[in-house]
């Protein structure tokens, strides 16, 4: 890169960058301190009280929706105790750590982009992205931690710091399990089987460290509630789907009642097994890309894995977008620019509609809004079509490249 390029505004963190950082901090502080968040905040507070009042195992037995790992459940229970003792609302203790962690995610994105002259612009776009702001500082769940630990693992693996990367991966599973989707890509990036085995062993030991006490007490309930959890189909009381193949099949193509009877069985089979199909296709593309061992290619593989899972799986929650958000920047511009615009528009306008105001103040009432405005539905449909097209492009292009290499 020549001196002229280095001196351009987008290749260095000038005053514009720090203004963006300050604005992102202010928006996150506002959301953490002054908004109530989604219904996940109330659910987490209920979980925390159940852990405190009935113990961890009693909590898992008493609530079928108790699916969070033991460590984060215990931590949130401690936060609840501090909240009760200080009078500071629990919603602040729940969301503030993830809002802070999001700053580290933005910094890691700069490191992953390396010598790319647009790295500070990408980090600024991530930091000021409504999705990263809403999911880290407003929504009220731990999913934004997935992106941080994925970035940290990828960066450490790229620096051949396999022990630290394995520890980071193991710790991530104390908080949320979806980092496992990226495990095959991380393993293939490691050059030999001995190191892969060591990486997997250390990550497994670290991951299980905080599960062992609960597993000793009641392995069945931990296996059922935590390891056996499957994402739920999210739709309104009127049947409006939030995301997934049902949007394509029954909203974009045709209503369910208009499909020919002969297609009912294959459609139902696909919907019932969509998450398995998504995981299988993600594994296939990861296998086909196993020889692509540059850092940008690894990041693109991680992004593609989660895009396929999001596009094909029928189980969904809004915050799942947060899992791979920083890795979108390693996909082509035709994906990440419209993806950020469309998904941000979908999530922000939906959340504003559910709250009844553009400032996200007040109660986030999902069940009280069975029908959504045209703008929200249009943004949802456009965003989902983009993810479907991107998943197909990733699968086809990866397969074509793999066959060309064999020749």
């Amino acid at each position: 890169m020549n001196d002229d390029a280095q001196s351009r505004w987008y290749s260095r963190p000038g005053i514009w960058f720090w203004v963006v950082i300050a604005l992102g901090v202010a928006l996150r502080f506002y959301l953490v301190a002054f908004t109530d968040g989604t219904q996940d905040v109330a659910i987490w507070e209920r979980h925390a009280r159940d852990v405190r009042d009935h113990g961890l195992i009693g909590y898992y037995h008493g609530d079928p929706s108790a699916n969070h790992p033991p460590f984060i459940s215990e931590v949130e229970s401690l936060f609840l105790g501090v909240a009760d003792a200080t009078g500071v609302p629990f919603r602040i203790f729940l969301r503030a750590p993830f809002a802070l962690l999001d700053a580290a995610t933005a910094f890691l994105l700069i490191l992953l982009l390396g010598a790319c002259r647009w790295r500070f612009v990408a980090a600024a776009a991530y930091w000021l992205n409504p999705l990263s702001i809403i999911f880290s500082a407003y929504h009220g769940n731990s999913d934004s931690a997935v992106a941080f630990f994925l970035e940290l693992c990828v960066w450490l693996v790229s620096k051949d710091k396999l022990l630290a990367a394995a520890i980071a991966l193991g710790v991530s599973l104390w908080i949320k399990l979806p980092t496992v989707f990226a495990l095959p890509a991380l393993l293939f990036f490691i050059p030999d089987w001995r190191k892969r085995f060591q990486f997997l062993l250390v990550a497994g030991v670290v991951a299980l460290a905080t599960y062992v006490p609960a597993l000793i007490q009641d392995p069945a309930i931990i296996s059922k509630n935590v390891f056996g959890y499957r994402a739920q189909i999210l739709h309104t009381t009127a049947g409006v789907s939030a995301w997934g193949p049902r949007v394509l099949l029954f909203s974009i193509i045709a209503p369910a009642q208009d499909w020919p009877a002969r297609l009912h069985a294959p459609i139902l089979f696909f919907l019932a097994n969509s998450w398995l199909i998504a995981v299988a296709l993600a594994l296939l593309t990861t296998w086909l890309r196993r020889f692509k061992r540059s850092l940008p290619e690894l990041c693109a593989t991680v992004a593609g894995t989660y895009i396929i899972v999001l596009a094909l799986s029928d189980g969904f929650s809004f915050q799942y977008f947060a899992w791979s958000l920083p890795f979108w920047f390693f996909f082509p511009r035709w994906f990440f620019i419209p993806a950020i615009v469309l998904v941000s528009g979908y999530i922000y306008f939906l959340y504003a509609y559910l709250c009844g105001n553009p400032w996200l103040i007040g109660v986030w009432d999902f069940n009280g809004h069975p029908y959504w405005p045209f703008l929200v539905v249009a943004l949802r449909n456009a965003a989902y079509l983009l993810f479907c097209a991107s998943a197909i492009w990733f699968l086809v292009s990866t397969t074509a490249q793999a066959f060309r290499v064999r020749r």
Side-chain angles (χ1 to χ4, degrees):
M1 190 180 300
N2 57 43
D3 292 339
D4 180 60
Q6 284 283 10
S7 65
R8 292 173 184 167
W9 66 269
Y10 52 76
S11 64
R12 52 192 172 85
I15 189 170
W16 67 270
F17 180 78
W18 300 113
V19 169
V20 167
I21 295 300
L23 182 57
V25 169
L27 289 171
R28 284 168 173 80
F29 176 80
Y30 161 75
L31 291 174
V32 168
F34 299 109
T35 66
D36 294 331
T38 72
Q39 63 190 19
D40 280 11
V41 174
I43 292 172
W44 254 119
E45 185 166 359
R46 186 184 78 238
H47 288 333
R49 290 194 185 280
D50 285 346
V51 172
R52 185 191 64 184
D53 296 342
H54 306 294
L56 185 66
I57 301 301
Y59 151 70
Y60 285 126
H61 277 284
D63 189 346
S65 68
N67 55 48
H68 299 283
F71 174 82
I72 191 63
S73 300
E74 295 277 16
V75 168
E76 295 300 340
S77 179
L78 293 175
F79 281 159
L80 177 66
V82 176
D84 288 344
T86 61
V88 177
F90 171 76
R91 57 182 170 79
I92 293 179
F93 286 102
L94 172 65
R95 298 179 297 177
F98 298 105
L100 291 172
L101 196 65
D102 210 35
T105 301
F107 175 73
L108 281 169
L109 180 57
I110 296 174
L111 296 181
L112 291 178
L113 287 167
C116 174
R117 60 183 179 175
W118 293 96
R119 62 190 182 279
F120 292 106
V121 175
Y126 173 82
W127 181 245
L128 213 55
N129 186 340
L131 292 175
S132 61
I133 294 172
I134 287 172
F135 292 135
S136 67
Y138 174 79
H139 188 95
N141 217 317
S142 56
D143 295 78
S144 58
V146 174
F148 166 77
F149 281 107
L150 280 176
E151 281 191 308
L152 182 59
C153 289
V154 167
W155 183 72
L156 289 170
V157 166
S158 72
K159 298 297 181 182
D160 202 29
K161 298 179 179 179
L162 299 185
L163 177 60
I167 292 172
L169 180 63
V171 171
S172 74
L173 300 177
W174 299 357
I175 300 172
K176 203 83 177 181
L177 299 183
T179 48
V180 297
F181 288 131
L183 180 58
L186 292 168
L187 289 175
F188 285 132
F189 189 82
I190 299 170
D192 64 72
W193 283 104
R194 183 178 63 83
K195 289 183 178 180
R196 289 170 186 167
F197 176 77
Q198 292 173 343
F199 175 85
L200 196 59
L201 178 63
V202 172
V205 169
V206 172
L208 287 174
T210 59
Y211 288 84
V212 167
L215 285 170
I216 291 174
Q217 295 178 69
D218 196 333
I221 195 64
I222 301 300
S223 298
K224 176 185 175 183
N225 282 36
V226 181
F227 301 138
Y229 173 74
R230 295 292 178 267
Q232 304 300 305
I233 300 168
L234 185 62
H235 57 77
T236 70
T237 55
V240 178
S241 296
W243 191 260
R246 291 167 194 266
V247 170
L248 177 65
L249 295 172
F250 307 137
S251 179
I252 296 173
I253 297 178
Q257 65 271 16
D258 292 345
W259 282 84
R262 67 182 182 277
L263 296 179
H264 290 181
I267 288 174
L268 291 174
F269 175 83
F270 170 72
L271 293 176
N273 297 280
S274 61
W275 74 274
L276 288 172
I277 296 170
V279 170
L281 290 174
L283 286 172
L284 173 63
T285 53
T286 302
W287 167 257
L288 293 175
R289 291 173 60 87
R290 64 192 181 280
F291 299 117
K292 295 181 179 292
R293 293 199 175 113
S294 70
L295 178 56
E297 291 286 6
L298 172 59
C299 291
T301 302
V302 172
T305 295
Y306 287 90
I307 288 169
I308 290 171
V309 170
L310 277 173
L312 295 182
S313 178
D314 206 29
F316 172 79
S317 288
F318 299 112
Q319 69 273 17
Y320 292 178
F321 288 117
W323 296 348
S324 60
L325 182 54
F327 293 94
W328 294 2
F329 292 94
F330 295 89
F331 249 48
R333 292 178 186 176
W334 61 257
F335 169 78
F336 75 76
I337 293 176
I340 289 172
V341 172
L342 292 173
V343 181
S344 292
Y346 169 44
I347 294 298
Y348 171 74
F349 286 112
L350 174 61
Y351 280 29
Y353 172 67
L354 297 179
C355 290
N357 65 85
W359 310 108
L360 305 186
I361 295 291
V363 177
W364 187 89
D365 185 9
F366 185 82
N367 291 332
H369 295 83
Y371 298 99
W372 293 349
F374 172 79
L375 175 62
V376 171
V377 172
L379 287 168
R380 178 206 64 185
N381 290 355
Y384 183 71
L385 284 174
L386 176 64
F387 270 70
C388 285
S390 301
I392 293 170
W393 168 82
F394 189 63
L395 287 163
V396 172
S397 63
T398 296
T399 304
Q401 289 173 18
F403 276 103
R404 282 200 298 268
V405 169
R406 286 185 180 181
R407 289 178 184 177

